[in-house]
Amino acid sequence: MAADIPSIKHQIWLRDAETQKVMSALNDGATARFVGGCVRNALLGVPVSDVDIATSDDPSASTAKLEAAGFKVVPIGADHGTVMAVGAERSYEVTTLRVDVETDGRRADVAFTQDWQGDAERRDFTMNALYADADGTVHDPLGGYDDLKARQVRFIGDAEARIKEDYLRILRFFRFHAAYGEGDLDAPGLQACAANRDGLAQLSAERIQVELVKLLGADNAGPVVRAMAAAG
């Protein structure tokens, strides 16, 4: 964890009593942290909509703790480690730490783990591999904060390997740059996207549509769409 990463403890959503109740339940005998977009957006100072949580517990243990705390729990993706805690103010996606066992470009078979580093390394971009404790302390296992400050959307590890795990990451690369990036697109990432663009044919029209609609609604959509066209 870099020493210069500011705390996100002043975020209203984090300090909310319901959010803290969820975290208190999940941190009873395990470790739970906020992860991904809520941490990224909090550090950028932009609105947070979804609050996702990673936990060292398996889904059954998470469910038991959340139900005991009075939350309705929906198993929205229990095979992949995800349950949803439904509160009065918002819902919280709670996902067990996991690593990919096998991927085919569309979906992944996963194994649950206790390894925070392994969980981070299976994610798409460094700026999405940021975690925060219930008190707002940020953990950055892969140097994502430096990329976030630079507004650089960069794949974790080898860009081509990340793309071949899920070809939707090609569109996410462009969409995230349109929403959060500045300057030129990351060159290795752009090259890998162009080289693997045929993989998009494996994806459903619905998944592609969702990403494209989000991309076109981003502030920097115009230059990014032109970059997509130039890359084929």
Side-chain angles (χ1 to χ4, degrees):
M1 182 178 63
D4 63 343
I5 303 179
S7 169
I8 61 170
K9 63 182 179 181
H10 298 300
Q11 290 284 307
I12 294 175
W13 60 267
L14 184 150
R15 298 171 62 186
D16 181 80
E18 186 174 80
T19 302
Q20 286 298 312
K21 185 178 180 181
V22 169
M23 293 298 279
S24 178
L26 292 172
N27 276 303
D28 182 8
T31 302
R33 293 171 178 160
F34 303 109
V35 65
C38 60
V39 182
R40 178 197 67 230
N41 285 19
L43 290 168
L44 286 173
V46 300
V48 169
S49 54
D50 300 323
V51 177
D52 294 338
I53 299 168
T55 177
S56 57
D57 266 335
D58 63 32
S60 60
S62 297
T63 297
K65 290 177 179 179
L66 291 164
E67 288 181 340
F71 291 94
K72 177 183 177 181
V73 181
V74 181
I76 59 173
D79 289 345
H80 285 79
T82 303
V83 299
M84 178 179 288
V86 181
E89 300 297 326
R90 67 169 73 238
S91 296
Y92 306 82
E93 285 195 13
V94 180
T95 302
T96 302
L97 299 178
R98 55 193 182 174
V99 293
D100 291 340
V101 175
E102 185 176 352
T103 61
D104 64 5
R106 292 176 296 171
R107 62 182 69 86
D109 293 327
V110 301
F112 301 147
T113 183
Q114 300 283 307
D115 182 8
W116 289 89
Q117 183 77 19
D119 183 79
E121 289 174 353
R122 71 169 296 278
R123 297 177 181 272
D124 49 9
F125 310 118
T126 58
M127 64 170 57
N128 290 337
L130 293 162
Y131 303 80
D133 295 328
D135 67 0
T137 301
V138 176
H139 299 264
D140 179 17
L142 301 178
Y145 183 62
D146 287 340
D147 288 331
L148 190 66
K149 285 195 299 182
R151 297 292 188 123
Q152 188 72 37
V153 180
R154 188 166 62 86
F155 283 101
I156 291 169
D158 180 71
E160 187 156 334
R162 295 290 79 73
I163 288 169
K164 287 182 176 179
E165 291 165 354
D166 184 354
Y167 287 108
L168 192 68
R169 288 174 173 172
I170 293 174
L171 298 182
R172 284 173 61 83
F173 173 75
F174 293 107
R175 194 250 292 183
F176 271 75
H177 188 84
Y180 304 110
E182 290 181 357
D184 294 335
L185 287 96
D186 176 66
L190 180 60
Q191 182 178 3
C193 287
N196 290 277
R197 60 184 181 268
D198 290 347
L200 291 169
Q202 297 185 27
L203 304 178
S204 70
E206 290 77 13
R207 292 187 79 197
I208 291 173
Q209 180 187 29
V210 168
E211 282 300 318
L212 287 177
V213 169
K214 289 180 179 179
L215 190 160
L216 294 172
D219 289 343
N220 200 32
V224 170
V225 170
R226 287 192 289 272
M228 292 174 69

